[in-house]
Amino acid sequence: MAELPIPDVSPARCSGRFTISTLLGMEEAGRGPYTPTEGSSCDSAQPTQLSSSTLYTRTFGYNTVDVVPAYEHYANSKGVGDPRKGRPSLADLHSILKPDPSRLCTPVSDVQHSNGLPEAGPEAGLEEAEGEPGRDSEPEPVRFGWVKGVMIRCMLNIWGVILYLRLPWITAQAGIALTWLIILMSVTVTTITGLSISAISTNGKVKSGGTYFLISRSLGPELGGSIGLIFAFANAVAVAMHTVGFAETVRDLLQEHNSLIVDPTNDIRIIGVITVTVLLGISLAGMEWEAKAQILFFLVILVSFINYLVGTVIPATAEKQAKGFFSYRADIFAQNFVPNWRGPEGSFFGLFSIFFPSATGILAGANISGDLKDPAMAIPKGTLMAIFWTTMSYLVLSATIGACVVRDASGSLNDSVAVGSPGCEGLACSFGWNFTACAQQQSCRYGLSNYYQSMSMVSGFGPLITAGIFGATLSSALACLVSAPKVFQCLCKDQLYPLIGFFGKGYGRNSEPIRGYMLTYVIAVGFILIAELNAIAPIISNFFLCSYALINFSCFHASITNSPGWRPSFRYYSKWAALFGAAVSVVIMFLLTWWAALIAFGIVIFLLGYVLYKKPDVNWGSSMQASSYNMALNYSVGLSEVDEHIKNYRPQCLVLTGPPNFRPALVDFVGTFTKNLSLMLCGNVLIGPRKQKMPESWLMADGHTKWLMKRKIKAFYTDVVAEDLRSGVQMLIQAAGLGKMRPNILVLGYKRNWRTASPQSLEDYVGILHDAFDFKYGVCVMRMKEGLNVSQVLQAHVNLTFEAAEHPENGTGSRAAPGTAADPTTLASEQQASTIFQSKQGKKTIDIYWLFDDGGLTLLIPYLLGRKKRWGKCKIRVFVGGQINRMDEERKAIVSLLNKFRLGFHEVHILPDINQKPRPEQLNDGFKDEATVNEMRQGCPWKISDEEVDKNRAKSLRQVRLNEILRDYSRDAALIAITPPIGRKGRCPSSLYMAWLETLSQDLRPPIILTRGNQENVLTFYCQ
């Protein structure tokens, strides 16, 4: 525990007691950062200026900066590393404590119990707005429990006209046994989906948005956004479908009484528009009125069920017997237990496709998740109970009506006969009715197989069944009318798609999406006026099945990724059952209507592609992120088991960029040939004290990564804090990478200011090259005529975070401007500097001067560069040294070697005059005496003596001659790649080596890369 300083405490009060601080002080025998200072040498229960609370004194026996666990510390948490409300930072606990009331938050003991749970009281923040306890300034929004909010709503949405009008007919076709199988198969899919919903909804706090919220926060915005949009649209069209079902029933009643308003088609439109307008008024009145309307519909349906069950036990009248109803009979049950297929739809899967939509509707409760008191409890309990009770109702209805009504009946009272009359066939003969004639001619109007209104005929009071149909259709329409705007509102707020944000505004204490209601109303009215819903209905059913498939896949995917964040409190689910449910949902889509399934998939893929292209800036901790980590981890570990082979060699580059935006040309050059091919790691050495530089590292790392992403450079960024440049680069060389994904090439910029730089910085730069070779790295030094460092331009216009680098062209090393503060998004939003490597090079040349055999790296990098589109038209020329009397032989040998490497280089030039004496060049200022030169090194580190020049005269003259050749042959090249000399460590002075590089690369217009491999092969012409 970190202690609070207690001023003016008598040492006598500490007699006989020891603290961690005093023990550390005794061990260190001095005043270290943890040694007690005056006033803090012992524990004390006295309050300090940092906290007036005595909670922690009671808990721990002394005051402490630490706080006990509390709800407030975790509420509204977002990303790893974000500060939490009321919790001290690590610096407050770990560093030397400086009392600062404005920085340290007052402990929250005044508003919490000792167990850390919040009491009701005034709080500020997002959580209170979401319905957390403790907000009294505004009236509480209406919240529903699991019965009214989920179970009743789901049951009403599951029950529909199929229950009343099609289930008896399905029972006649498939028989009771197969009807039960159809019901149980459908319920299996919905139950698995219900379990998946339960798991996802209990894995964290669920807000408004329903199905879209659950899928998007689990699978990410790509799939979540596409499903959210089509699910909201499907609900809007479903309003029209259910309303038309109601309007058709009313129209039929009007037709029976010859009371049509206009004509059958226009009557549906008139009644439908009036009905949906009334439903809109109920919705706009608020969720409380909508819930009351749903309760009313629920009671009506329950009364209709009771009415039906009572009717089955009432002795049948002659009229009902003529229509095939004989009350409960075992022989009727036995006959109806087996199937009797009739008509084009008389098949198992044909009837399954008709019944399955009646089992859907389980998402109605989840869709109003924002209006539930406790979604994590209400959604699982209410959804599963709704599935159970509706399943029982389907099974009971199928069994009871199958035991009461025969399949064929004429409805004519004249068909009654004496029991056992000759010529009478069929089960009804034993009950005194002869339906043989109509059964043989298939002209019977009544019976289970022919009369859709069998439930109404069986019931005690027929109009109550009609009322039940009204209640089922209107309740489903009202549920969809509420669901669509709620889901669409959440989608609008996430801003995944353009032009829809207008509909995300909420009104009132429940944040009602009034604009979304109006949009849903317009869509519903439009489809009601079309009055041709038979074509659109299969697509809507497939949209709902898409949602089921993705909910199940979300549960499976979150489970299979083993993410520590997947901790649902609902445990009764199986990831394999969820996967099975997802697969079955897709299969059912094609069983229902294959062309509608293809359309649904096409729309989902199109919307998915749009979100993938736009890459919205959201981070929801989805299972896709966890899956990406798992895949990267597994492949990285698997890669460690693979032995390296020359054929699979890839140039993995550690690029000493410093802040990447300081040297964009260097970043673009390496990024061009490593993109989608190999590892690129941008390294930055922060020079200075760790305590001062670490905050800068934390602050800017994310900004540099975003800058690379905006520039479309596939690279990583890393930095280290070191006392000097060379030690920092040594850290990077040794520690960068993971497993086999480790750099093997060090890329850095040429140090242009080596003449004026301090002696130590020059030694560090050349020492970095030596270190790279010591660690078996290849080296690539890049020089451009205009230089690489653009930091001064950035500082003048955009970025105030860094001062000019201490070593402007060494490729790394930066010092922060004292007292500056930077927004991590500033780097990503700044204007991108353009470089030569971003433009097309046309029909220029890439000239390779392969002067020394370094293993082939000098050839490989230009070859990889030439494969890119911007450099594809460039002709690659290879220059090698040779003797004038053997030019043809040597050229043929090099061409043969290049052909075996399959690089496609065909233009080879031999340089016979490479050893000719160059024009006289003055390599020093005429100093003859070694002592004099050493004295001058402090101010002029590039000075070298004649003795040193004489020792390396041949090598020095060669650099001068090579520069002349480069200017003669490659004046108009797009890029020059050359093998540089290697200065022997301990023998070649740093200033002399830099003079060689300077002489070799000076006065050249094209960029030049000095590439030297580690003398190990990177090219091979063998196939194994």
Side-chain angles (χ1 to χ4, degrees), residues 754-932:
W754 66 275
R755 291 185 178 89
T756 57
S758 64
Q760 187 57 46
S761 68
L762 176 61
E763 293 296 330
D764 282 349
Y765 182 80
V766 178
I768 288 171
L769 303 181
H770 290 309
D771 294 337
F773 290 129
D774 287 342
F775 289 110
K776 291 193 174 297
Y777 272 56
V779 171
C780 181
V781 179
M782 183 177 180
R783 182 175 187 181
M784 296 181 66
K785 185 176 183 180
E786 61 273 17
L788 296 173
N789 196 334
V790 298
S791 60
Q792 293 182 353
V793 177
L794 292 177
Q795 286 174 2
H797 296 89
V798 180
N799 187 5
L800 302 178
T801 305
F802 295 98
E803 290 181 347
E806 181 190 9
H807 312 291
E809 290 301 332
N810 63 10
T812 186
S814 60
R815 296 185 179 274
T820 59
D823 183 356
T825 60
T826 302
L827 290 174
S829 61
E830 72 180 23
Q831 185 177 359
Q832 298 276 344
S834 60
T835 67
I836 186 176
F837 298 99
Q838 292 181 315
S839 57
K840 292 185 178 180
Q841 299 302 312
K843 296 183 179 180
K844 297 181 181 178
T845 63
I846 299 176
D847 291 349
I848 304 173
Y849 289 83
W850 195 23
L851 305 180
F852 309 103
D853 191 350
D854 60 346
L857 186 63
T858 307
L859 295 174
L860 181 60
I861 291 180
Y863 165 73
L864 296 175
L865 200 65
R867 295 201 307 180
K868 301 302 179 180
K869 186 176 181 181
R870 291 173 182 151
W871 298 77
K873 294 183 179 180
C874 290
K875 182 172 64 174
I876 298 180
R877 303 187 299 178
V878 179
F879 297 84
V880 294
Q883 301 176 17
I884 191 169
N885 56 348
R886 300 184 68 248
M887 287 180 58
D888 290 340
E889 294 85 347
E890 292 180 351
R891 183 182 181 280
K892 290 179 181 179
I894 294 299
V895 169
S896 175
L897 179 61
L898 294 177
N899 287 337
K900 290 180 179 179
F901 285 149
R902 307 174 305 282
L903 296 174
F905 301 165
H906 302 296
E907 186 171 344
V908 176
H909 298 269
I910 304 298
L911 301 175
D913 54 352
I914 196 171
N915 290 321
Q916 287 185 5
K917 188 174 181 180
R919 296 189 299 272
E921 297 287 342
Q922 188 161 348
L923 300 179
N924 58 19
D925 287 344
F927 292 100
K928 305 295 183 182
D929 181 49
E930 183 75 21
T932 306

Side-chain angles (χ1 to χ4, degrees), residues 644-690:
E644 295 180 353
H645 193 283
I646 299 175
K647 285 171 61 178
N648 293 325
Y649 174 86
R650 294 170 185 261
Q652 303 187 115
C653 300
L654 171 60
V655 191
L656 301 184
T657 59
N661 59 321
F662 279 15
R663 296 171 179 83
L666 192 63
V667 171
D668 291 339
F669 164 65
V670 181
T672 300
F673 69 82
T674 59
K675 186 175 183 180
N676 299 325
L677 176 79
S678 59
L679 173 70
M680 176 181 174
L681 193 62
C682 295
N684 182 19
V685 178
L686 300 172
I687 302 172
R690 183 176 63 180

Side-chain angles (χ1 to χ4, degrees), residues 510-553:
N510 271 51
S511 188
E512 294 291 345
I514 304 298
R515 297 173 179 176
Y517 280 128
M518 300 308 299
L519 178 63
T520 304
Y521 173 76
V522 170
I523 294 174
V525 169
F527 279 96
I528 290 172
L529 294 178
I530 292 173
E532 289 292 336
L533 294 179
N534 290 336
I536 199 71
I539 300 178
I540 302 307
S541 298
N542 278 307
F543 282 168
F544 287 118
L545 278 168
C546 270
S547 304
Y548 288 3
L550 282 179
I551 286 174
N552 285 307
F553 183 73

Side-chain angles (χ1 to χ4, degrees), residues 152-330:
I152 292 178
R153 191 176 298 273
C154 287
M155 292 177 70
L156 289 173
N157 211 23
I158 293 171
W159 284 328
V161 291
I162 292 178
L163 170 69
Y164 292 95
L165 303 181
R166 291 294 183 271
L167 188 57
W169 174 77
I170 292 173
T171 303
Q173 289 268 6
I176 297 173
L178 291 184
T179 300
W180 277 36
L181 181 60
I182 290 173
I183 294 171
L184 293 177
M185 286 178 59
S186 302
V187 169
T188 298
V189 178
T190 56
T191 301
I192 292 174
T193 307
L195 295 175
S196 298
I197 292 174
S198 302
I200 298 173
S201 63
T202 58
N203 188 52
K205 182 176 176 62
V206 177
K207 299 181 181 179
S208 61
T211 305
Y212 161 71
F213 184 88
L214 296 177
I215 295 178
S216 63
R217 270 52 176 181
S218 181
L219 286 181
E222 296 83 8
L223 283 171
S226 58
I227 284 298
L229 196 59
I230 66 172
F231 187 76
F233 177 76
N235 273 284
V237 179
V239 175
M241 292 175 57
H242 295 301
T243 305
V244 167
F246 167 78
E248 286 180 348
T249 307
V250 175
R251 189 269 318 268
D252 293 341
L253 290 175
L254 293 176
Q255 258 184 330
E256 288 180 11
H257 296 84
N258 296 319
S259 302
L260 288 176
I261 304 173
V262 182
D263 58 65
T265 301
N266 284 319
D267 280 9
I268 292 176
R269 293 170 176 160
I270 294 171
I271 297 169
V273 171
I274 294 174
T275 303
V276 78
T277 304
V278 173
L279 294 178
L280 176 66
I282 295 174
S283 301
L284 294 178
M287 288 299 296
E288 195 169 3
W289 283 96
E290 186 268 348
K292 291 177 180 178
Q294 295 285 33
I295 295 291
L296 176 62
F297 294 141
F298 183 72
L299 293 176
V300 170
I301 294 176
L302 285 184
V303 170
S304 72
F305 279 170
I306 296 172
N307 172 55
Y308 160 75
L309 293 175
V310 169
T312 60
V313 298
I314 296 176
T317 63
E319 291 81 1
K320 289 188 177 182
Q321 288 184 354
K323 295 180 180 180
F325 172 62
F326 298 98
S327 296
Y328 290 106
R329 301 295 178 107

